[in-house]
mmCIF file of all heavy atoms in Angstrom:
data_model
loop_
_atom_site.group_PDB
_atom_site.id
_atom_site.type_symbol
_atom_site.label_atom_id
_atom_site.label_comp_id
_atom_site.label_asym_id
_atom_site.label_seq_id
_atom_site.Cartn_x
_atom_site.Cartn_y
_atom_site.Cartn_z
ATOM 1 N N ASP A 31 86.370 38.429 111.168
ATOM 2 C CA ASP A 31 87.468 37.822 111.903
ATOM 3 C C ASP A 31 88.259 36.820 111.062
ATOM 4 O O ASP A 31 88.936 35.957 111.603
ATOM 5 C CB ASP A 31 86.921 37.114 113.148
ATOM 6 C CG ASP A 31 86.406 38.088 114.178
ATOM 7 O OD1 ASP A 31 86.890 39.234 114.201
ATOM 8 O OD2 ASP A 31 85.520 37.706 114.964
ATOM 9 N N TYR A 32 88.200 36.911 109.752
ATOM 10 C CA TYR A 32 88.856 35.950 108.875
ATOM 11 C C TYR A 32 90.333 35.767 109.226
ATOM 12 O O TYR A 32 90.827 34.654 109.329
ATOM 13 C CB TYR A 32 88.708 36.373 107.412
ATOM 14 C CG TYR A 32 89.464 35.472 106.464
ATOM 15 C CD1 TYR A 32 88.934 34.237 106.095
ATOM 16 C CD2 TYR A 32 90.701 35.836 105.961
ATOM 17 C CE1 TYR A 32 89.625 33.399 105.235
ATOM 18 C CE2 TYR A 32 91.402 35.002 105.107
ATOM 19 C CZ TYR A 32 90.858 33.781 104.746
ATOM 20 O OH TYR A 32 91.547 32.953 103.912
ATOM 21 N N PHE A 33 91.061 36.868 109.411
ATOM 22 C CA PHE A 33 92.508 36.787 109.625
ATOM 23 C C PHE A 33 92.889 36.391 111.046
ATOM 24 O O PHE A 33 94.038 36.067 111.310
ATOM 25 C CB PHE A 33 93.179 38.106 109.241
ATOM 26 C CG PHE A 33 93.108 38.374 107.764
ATOM 27 C CD1 PHE A 33 92.242 39.329 107.267
ATOM 28 C CD2 PHE A 33 93.890 37.648 106.878
ATOM 29 C CE1 PHE A 33 92.160 39.557 105.900
ATOM 30 C CE2 PHE A 33 93.816 37.874 105.520
ATOM 31 C CZ PHE A 33 92.944 38.836 105.022
ATOM 32 N N LYS A 34 91.953 36.382 111.978
ATOM 33 C CA LYS A 34 92.228 35.993 113.366
ATOM 34 C C LYS A 34 92.757 34.560 113.427
ATOM 35 O O LYS A 34 93.651 34.277 114.212
ATOM 36 C CB LYS A 34 90.969 36.106 114.238
ATOM 37 C CG LYS A 34 90.522 37.500 114.550
ATOM 38 C CD LYS A 34 91.475 38.214 115.454
ATOM 39 C CE LYS A 34 91.271 37.815 116.891
ATOM 40 N NZ LYS A 34 92.099 38.582 117.812
ATOM 41 N N ARG A 35 92.223 33.683 112.627
ATOM 42 C CA ARG A 35 92.648 32.277 112.682
ATOM 43 C C ARG A 35 94.072 32.077 112.175
ATOM 44 O O ARG A 35 94.649 31.014 112.349
ATOM 45 C CB ARG A 35 91.674 31.384 111.931
ATOM 46 C CG ARG A 35 91.515 31.703 110.487
ATOM 47 C CD ARG A 35 90.463 30.830 109.856
ATOM 48 N NE ARG A 35 89.921 31.481 108.693
ATOM 49 C CZ ARG A 35 89.086 30.924 107.866
ATOM 50 N NH1 ARG A 35 88.659 29.704 108.093
ATOM 51 N NH2 ARG A 35 88.639 31.574 106.826
ATOM 52 N N PHE A 36 94.646 33.094 111.550
ATOM 53 C CA PHE A 36 96.028 33.045 111.087
ATOM 54 C C PHE A 36 96.922 33.964 111.916
ATOM 55 O O PHE A 36 97.944 34.444 111.449
ATOM 56 C CB PHE A 36 96.106 33.435 109.611
ATOM 57 C CG PHE A 36 95.217 32.619 108.726
ATOM 58 C CD1 PHE A 36 94.048 33.169 108.215
ATOM 59 C CD2 PHE A 36 95.529 31.299 108.422
ATOM 60 C CE1 PHE A 36 93.221 32.422 107.391
ATOM 61 C CE2 PHE A 36 94.702 30.547 107.610
ATOM 62 C CZ PHE A 36 93.539 31.108 107.095
ATOM 63 N N ASP A 37 96.506 34.237 113.158
ATOM 64 C CA ASP A 37 97.193 35.156 114.073
ATOM 65 C C ASP A 37 97.162 36.604 113.583
ATOM 66 O O ASP A 37 98.037 37.397 113.931
ATOM 67 C CB ASP A 37 98.644 34.728 114.336
ATOM 68 C CG ASP A 37 98.744 33.628 115.367
ATOM 69 O OD1 ASP A 37 97.792 33.457 116.154
ATOM 70 O OD2 ASP A 37 99.787 32.944 115.397
ATOM 71 N N GLY A 38 96.184 36.945 112.798
ATOM 72 C CA GLY A 38 96.010 38.318 112.336
ATOM 73 C C GLY A 38 95.023 39.080 113.197
ATOM 74 O O GLY A 38 94.621 38.628 114.271
ATOM 75 N N GLU A 39 94.634 40.235 112.716
ATOM 76 C CA GLU A 39 93.706 41.098 113.436
ATOM 77 C C GLU A 39 92.286 40.921 112.915
ATOM 78 O O GLU A 39 92.081 40.602 111.748
ATOM 79 C CB GLU A 39 94.071 42.574 113.218
ATOM 80 C CG GLU A 39 95.411 42.969 113.763
ATOM 81 C CD GLU A 39 95.753 44.399 113.382
ATOM 82 O OE1 GLU A 39 95.817 44.693 112.169
ATOM 83 O OE2 GLU A 39 95.961 45.205 114.287
ATOM 84 N N SER A 40 91.337 41.199 113.785
ATOM 85 C CA SER A 40 89.950 41.311 113.334
ATOM 86 C C SER A 40 89.793 42.666 112.661
ATOM 87 O O SER A 40 90.659 43.541 112.782
ATOM 88 C CB SER A 40 89.000 41.206 114.528
ATOM 89 O OG SER A 40 89.130 42.352 115.355
ATOM 90 N N ASP A 41 88.682 42.866 111.959
ATOM 91 C CA ASP A 41 88.412 44.174 111.360
ATOM 92 C C ASP A 41 88.402 45.260 112.422
ATOM 93 O O ASP A 41 88.960 46.339 112.229
ATOM 94 C CB ASP A 41 87.069 44.160 110.625
ATOM 95 C CG ASP A 41 87.142 43.455 109.278
ATOM 96 O OD1 ASP A 41 88.246 43.011 108.881
ATOM 97 O OD2 ASP A 41 86.088 43.355 108.614
ATOM 98 N N ALA A 42 87.769 44.983 113.551
ATOM 99 C CA ALA A 42 87.670 45.989 114.626
ATOM 100 C C ALA A 42 89.049 46.336 115.181
ATOM 101 O O ALA A 42 89.334 47.509 115.459
ATOM 102 C CB ALA A 42 86.755 45.481 115.738
ATOM 103 N N GLU A 43 89.923 45.343 115.321
ATOM 104 C CA GLU A 43 91.273 45.599 115.831
ATOM 105 C C GLU A 43 92.093 46.422 114.828
ATOM 106 O O GLU A 43 92.795 47.356 115.213
ATOM 107 C CB GLU A 43 91.982 44.282 116.136
ATOM 108 C CG GLU A 43 91.414 43.547 117.327
ATOM 109 C CD GLU A 43 91.911 42.129 117.459
ATOM 110 O OE1 GLU A 43 92.299 41.505 116.426
ATOM 111 O OE2 GLU A 43 91.897 41.628 118.592
ATOM 112 N N ALA A 44 91.996 46.066 113.553
ATOM 113 C CA ALA A 44 92.726 46.812 112.524
ATOM 114 C C ALA A 44 92.206 48.245 112.440
ATOM 115 O O ALA A 44 92.993 49.191 112.334
ATOM 116 C CB ALA A 44 92.602 46.119 111.172
ATOM 117 N N GLN A 45 90.897 48.396 112.506
ATOM 118 C CA GLN A 45 90.288 49.729 112.456
ATOM 119 C C GLN A 45 90.767 50.580 113.632
ATOM 120 O O GLN A 45 91.144 51.739 113.461
ATOM 121 C CB GLN A 45 88.773 49.593 112.473
ATOM 122 C CG GLN A 45 88.014 50.891 112.326
ATOM 123 C CD GLN A 45 86.519 50.650 112.454
ATOM 124 O OE1 GLN A 45 86.065 50.115 113.462
ATOM 125 N NE2 GLN A 45 85.781 51.023 111.427
ATOM 126 N N SER A 46 90.778 50.010 114.807
ATOM 127 C CA SER A 46 91.208 50.718 116.005
ATOM 128 C C SER A 46 92.691 51.088 115.931
ATOM 129 O O SER A 46 93.081 52.208 116.264
ATOM 130 C CB SER A 46 90.935 49.860 117.239
ATOM 131 O OG SER A 46 91.374 50.511 118.395
ATOM 132 N N ARG A 47 93.530 50.150 115.484
ATOM 133 C CA ARG A 47 94.968 50.410 115.376
ATOM 134 C C ARG A 47 95.249 51.547 114.407
ATOM 135 O O ARG A 47 96.017 52.468 114.703
ATOM 136 C CB ARG A 47 95.705 49.143 114.927
ATOM 137 C CG ARG A 47 97.213 49.333 114.770
ATOM 138 C CD ARG A 47 97.909 48.029 114.389
ATOM 139 N NE ARG A 47 97.307 47.363 113.245
ATOM 140 C CZ ARG A 47 97.569 47.665 111.970
ATOM 141 N NH1 ARG A 47 98.399 48.642 111.678
ATOM 142 N NH2 ARG A 47 97.000 46.982 110.996
ATOM 143 N N PHE A 48 94.605 51.519 113.248
ATOM 144 C CA PHE A 48 94.821 52.557 112.241
ATOM 145 C C PHE A 48 94.303 53.906 112.744
ATOM 146 O O PHE A 48 94.971 54.927 112.615
ATOM 147 C CB PHE A 48 94.144 52.167 110.923
ATOM 148 C CG PHE A 48 94.586 53.008 109.762
ATOM 149 C CD1 PHE A 48 95.836 52.835 109.196
ATOM 150 C CD2 PHE A 48 93.745 53.971 109.233
ATOM 151 C CE1 PHE A 48 96.244 53.611 108.113
ATOM 152 C CE2 PHE A 48 94.151 54.747 108.151
ATOM 153 C CZ PHE A 48 95.401 54.566 107.600
ATOM 154 N N ASP A 49 93.131 53.900 113.355
ATOM 155 C CA ASP A 49 92.544 55.127 113.892
ATOM 156 C C ASP A 49 93.452 55.727 114.968
ATOM 157 O O ASP A 49 93.716 56.931 114.964
ATOM 158 C CB ASP A 49 91.157 54.825 114.455
ATOM 159 C CG ASP A 49 90.449 56.062 114.939
ATOM 160 O OD1 ASP A 49 90.218 56.972 114.114
ATOM 161 O OD2 ASP A 49 90.124 56.135 116.149
ATOM 162 N N ASN A 50 93.932 54.882 115.871
ATOM 163 C CA ASN A 50 94.826 55.374 116.927
ATOM 164 C C ASN A 50 96.107 55.959 116.347
ATOM 165 O O ASN A 50 96.599 56.988 116.821
ATOM 166 C CB ASN A 50 95.158 54.248 117.912
ATOM 167 C CG ASN A 50 93.973 53.855 118.760
ATOM 168 O OD1 ASN A 50 93.026 54.616 118.932
ATOM 169 N ND2 ASN A 50 94.021 52.648 119.286
ATOM 170 N N THR A 51 96.646 55.309 115.327
ATOM 171 C CA THR A 51 97.870 55.806 114.694
ATOM 172 C C THR A 51 97.639 57.167 114.041
ATOM 173 O O THR A 51 98.456 58.086 114.201
ATOM 174 C CB THR A 51 98.391 54.795 113.652
ATOM 175 O OG1 THR A 51 98.664 53.557 114.313
ATOM 176 C CG2 THR A 51 99.647 55.292 112.968
ATOM 177 N N ILE A 52 96.540 57.306 113.335
ATOM 178 C CA ILE A 52 96.215 58.601 112.706
ATOM 179 C C ILE A 52 96.128 59.693 113.769
ATOM 180 O O ILE A 52 96.695 60.781 113.613
ATOM 181 C CB ILE A 52 94.880 58.522 111.925
ATOM 182 C CG1 ILE A 52 94.986 57.559 110.759
ATOM 183 C CG2 ILE A 52 94.418 59.911 111.472
ATOM 184 C CD1 ILE A 52 95.877 58.002 109.638
ATOM 185 N N HIS A 53 95.460 59.399 114.869
ATOM 186 C CA HIS A 53 95.288 60.425 115.902
ATOM 187 C C HIS A 53 96.580 60.706 116.669
ATOM 188 O O HIS A 53 96.790 61.829 117.110
ATOM 189 C CB HIS A 53 94.107 60.082 116.807
ATOM 190 C CG HIS A 53 92.825 60.408 116.112
ATOM 191 N ND1 HIS A 53 92.319 61.682 116.052
ATOM 192 C CD2 HIS A 53 91.994 59.643 115.375
ATOM 193 C CE1 HIS A 53 91.217 61.683 115.337
ATOM 194 N NE2 HIS A 53 90.998 60.445 114.905
ATOM 195 N N GLU A 54 97.468 59.732 116.792
ATOM 196 C CA GLU A 54 98.779 59.995 117.372
ATOM 197 C C GLU A 54 99.553 60.973 116.494
ATOM 198 O O GLU A 54 100.204 61.899 116.993
ATOM 199 C CB GLU A 54 99.573 58.698 117.521
ATOM 200 C CG GLU A 54 99.116 57.816 118.650
ATOM 201 C CD GLU A 54 99.859 56.483 118.684
ATOM 202 O OE1 GLU A 54 100.931 56.351 118.032
ATOM 203 O OE2 GLU A 54 99.356 55.570 119.356
ATOM 204 N N ILE A 55 99.493 60.784 115.186
ATOM 205 C CA ILE A 55 100.157 61.686 114.245
ATOM 206 C C ILE A 55 99.579 63.091 114.372
ATOM 207 O O ILE A 55 100.313 64.079 114.447
ATOM 208 C CB ILE A 55 100.023 61.154 112.802
ATOM 209 C CG1 ILE A 55 100.836 59.872 112.638
ATOM 210 C CG2 ILE A 55 100.453 62.210 111.782
ATOM 211 C CD1 ILE A 55 100.540 59.100 111.371
ATOM 212 N N LEU A 56 98.261 63.190 114.418
ATOM 213 C CA LEU A 56 97.616 64.501 114.530
ATOM 214 C C LEU A 56 97.927 65.165 115.863
ATOM 215 O O LEU A 56 98.149 66.383 115.928
ATOM 216 C CB LEU A 56 96.104 64.361 114.346
ATOM 217 C CG LEU A 56 95.645 63.891 112.971
ATOM 218 C CD1 LEU A 56 94.137 63.697 112.961
ATOM 219 C CD2 LEU A 56 96.074 64.863 111.889
ATOM 220 N N ASP A 57 97.960 64.378 116.939
ATOM 221 C CA ASP A 57 98.256 64.925 118.268
ATOM 222 C C ASP A 57 99.677 65.475 118.361
ATOM 223 O O ASP A 57 99.960 66.349 119.181
ATOM 224 C CB ASP A 57 98.038 63.865 119.352
ATOM 225 C CG ASP A 57 96.570 63.547 119.583
ATOM 226 O OD1 ASP A 57 95.701 64.357 119.152
ATOM 227 O OD2 ASP A 57 96.278 62.488 120.175
ATOM 228 N N GLU A 58 100.569 64.979 117.508
ATOM 229 C CA GLU A 58 101.940 65.497 117.455
ATOM 230 C C GLU A 58 102.020 66.807 116.677
ATOM 231 O O GLU A 58 103.080 67.395 116.567
ATOM 232 C CB GLU A 58 102.876 64.465 116.840
ATOM 233 C CG GLU A 58 103.089 63.255 117.720
ATOM 234 C CD GLU A 58 103.939 62.183 117.044
ATOM 235 O OE1 GLU A 58 104.384 62.381 115.897
ATOM 236 O OE2 GLU A 58 104.129 61.133 117.678
ATOM 237 N N GLY A 59 100.900 67.244 116.115
ATOM 238 C CA GLY A 59 100.863 68.514 115.417
ATOM 239 C C GLY A 59 101.022 68.430 113.916
ATOM 240 O O GLY A 59 101.086 69.449 113.235
ATOM 241 N N HIS A 60 101.077 67.231 113.374
ATOM 242 C CA HIS A 60 101.224 67.065 111.933
ATOM 243 C C HIS A 60 99.845 67.139 111.277
ATOM 244 O O HIS A 60 99.046 66.225 111.425
ATOM 245 C CB HIS A 60 101.882 65.726 111.606
ATOM 246 C CG HIS A 60 103.195 65.536 112.289
ATOM 247 N ND1 HIS A 60 104.337 66.181 111.889
ATOM 248 C CD2 HIS A 60 103.540 64.779 113.371
ATOM 249 C CE1 HIS A 60 105.331 65.831 112.673
ATOM 250 N NE2 HIS A 60 104.873 64.987 113.589
ATOM 251 N N LYS A 61 99.571 68.219 110.581
ATOM 252 C CA LYS A 61 98.243 68.407 109.982
ATOM 253 C C LYS A 61 98.215 68.013 108.504
ATOM 254 O O LYS A 61 97.212 67.555 108.003
ATOM 255 C CB LYS A 61 97.780 69.855 110.125
ATOM 256 C CG LYS A 61 97.722 70.344 111.556
ATOM 257 C CD LYS A 61 96.754 69.539 112.387
ATOM 258 C CE LYS A 61 96.703 70.078 113.802
ATOM 259 N NZ LYS A 61 96.085 69.210 114.745
ATOM 260 N N ASN A 62 99.294 68.237 107.791
ATOM 261 C CA ASN A 62 99.371 67.863 106.374
ATOM 262 C C ASN A 62 100.155 66.561 106.285
ATOM 263 O O ASN A 62 101.376 66.555 106.285
ATOM 264 C CB ASN A 62 100.056 68.958 105.554
ATOM 265 C CG ASN A 62 99.251 70.225 105.544
ATOM 266 O OD1 ASN A 62 98.047 70.188 105.377
ATOM 267 N ND2 ASN A 62 99.907 71.352 105.755
ATOM 268 N N THR A 63 99.432 65.464 106.245
ATOM 269 C CA THR A 63 100.058 64.156 106.350
ATOM 270 C C THR A 63 99.512 63.218 105.284
ATOM 271 O O THR A 63 98.322 63.210 105.015
ATOM 272 C CB THR A 63 99.775 63.553 107.742
ATOM 273 O OG1 THR A 63 100.230 64.466 108.738
ATOM 274 C CG2 THR A 63 100.464 62.235 107.928
ATOM 275 N N LEU A 64 100.386 62.433 104.717
ATOM 276 C CA LEU A 64 99.997 61.386 103.788
ATOM 277 C C LEU A 64 100.141 60.058 104.507
ATOM 278 O O LEU A 64 101.221 59.726 105.002
ATOM 279 C CB LEU A 64 100.886 61.395 102.541
ATOM 280 C CG LEU A 64 100.687 60.244 101.567
ATOM 281 C CD1 LEU A 64 99.306 60.318 100.921
ATOM 282 C CD2 LEU A 64 101.787 60.247 100.519
ATOM 283 N N CYS A 65 99.062 59.320 104.604
ATOM 284 C CA CYS A 65 99.082 57.989 105.218
ATOM 285 C C CYS A 65 98.790 56.971 104.130
ATOM 286 O O CYS A 65 97.831 57.127 103.376
ATOM 287 C CB CYS A 65 98.015 57.888 106.312
ATOM 288 S SG CYS A 65 98.278 59.032 107.659
ATOM 289 N N VAL A 66 99.604 55.951 104.065
ATOM 290 C CA VAL A 66 99.447 54.915 103.058
ATOM 291 C C VAL A 66 99.116 53.612 103.771
ATOM 292 O O VAL A 66 99.773 53.249 104.743
ATOM 293 C CB VAL A 66 100.740 54.757 102.228
ATOM 294 C CG1 VAL A 66 100.584 53.666 101.193
ATOM 295 C CG2 VAL A 66 101.119 56.081 101.583
ATOM 296 N N ALA A 67 98.098 52.929 103.282
ATOM 297 C CA ALA A 67 97.681 51.670 103.898
ATOM 298 C C ALA A 67 97.007 50.798 102.858
ATOM 299 O O ALA A 67 96.633 51.261 101.777
ATOM 300 C CB ALA A 67 96.725 51.937 105.055
ATOM 301 N N HIS A 68 96.828 49.553 103.207
ATOM 302 C CA HIS A 68 96.094 48.611 102.382
ATOM 303 C C HIS A 68 94.663 49.116 102.213
ATOM 304 O O HIS A 68 94.095 49.737 103.117
ATOM 305 C CB HIS A 68 96.112 47.238 103.068
ATOM 306 C CG HIS A 68 95.502 46.167 102.252
ATOM 307 N ND1 HIS A 68 94.143 45.947 102.202
ATOM 308 C CD2 HIS A 68 96.064 45.238 101.438
ATOM 309 C CE1 HIS A 68 93.892 44.937 101.394
ATOM 310 N NE2 HIS A 68 95.041 44.488 100.929
ATOM 311 N N GLY A 69 94.077 48.846 101.066
ATOM 312 C CA GLY A 69 92.717 49.305 100.789
ATOM 313 C C GLY A 69 91.697 48.852 101.817
ATOM 314 O O GLY A 69 90.771 49.579 102.153
ATOM 315 N N GLY A 70 91.878 47.648 102.361
ATOM 316 C CA GLY A 70 90.939 47.143 103.359
ATOM 317 C C GLY A 70 90.951 47.970 104.632
ATOM 318 O O GLY A 70 89.904 48.269 105.211
ATOM 319 N N VAL A 71 92.138 48.344 105.078
ATOM 320 C CA VAL A 71 92.254 49.161 106.292
ATOM 321 C C VAL A 71 91.709 50.566 106.034
ATOM 322 O O VAL A 71 91.037 51.146 106.896
ATOM 323 C CB VAL A 71 93.718 49.205 106.778
ATOM 324 C CG1 VAL A 71 93.897 50.186 107.926
ATOM 325 C CG2 VAL A 71 94.176 47.822 107.188
#
Side-chain angles (χ1 to χ4, degrees):
D31 291 334
Y32 175 79
F33 293 106
K34 288 292 280 185
R35 60 184 156 173
F36 305 105
D37 280 339
E39 296 174 300
S40 69
D41 283 358
E43 290 168 334
Q45 184 184 57
S46 178
R47 179 177 51 83
F48 194 74
D49 184 60
N50 290 339
T51 300
I52 295 291
H53 283 280
E54 285 175 16
I55 292 167
L56 295 176
D57 289 343
E58 291 175 1
H60 305 285
K61 302 299 181 195
N62 295 316
T63 304
L64 173 66
C65 298
V66 179
H68 186 277
V71 173

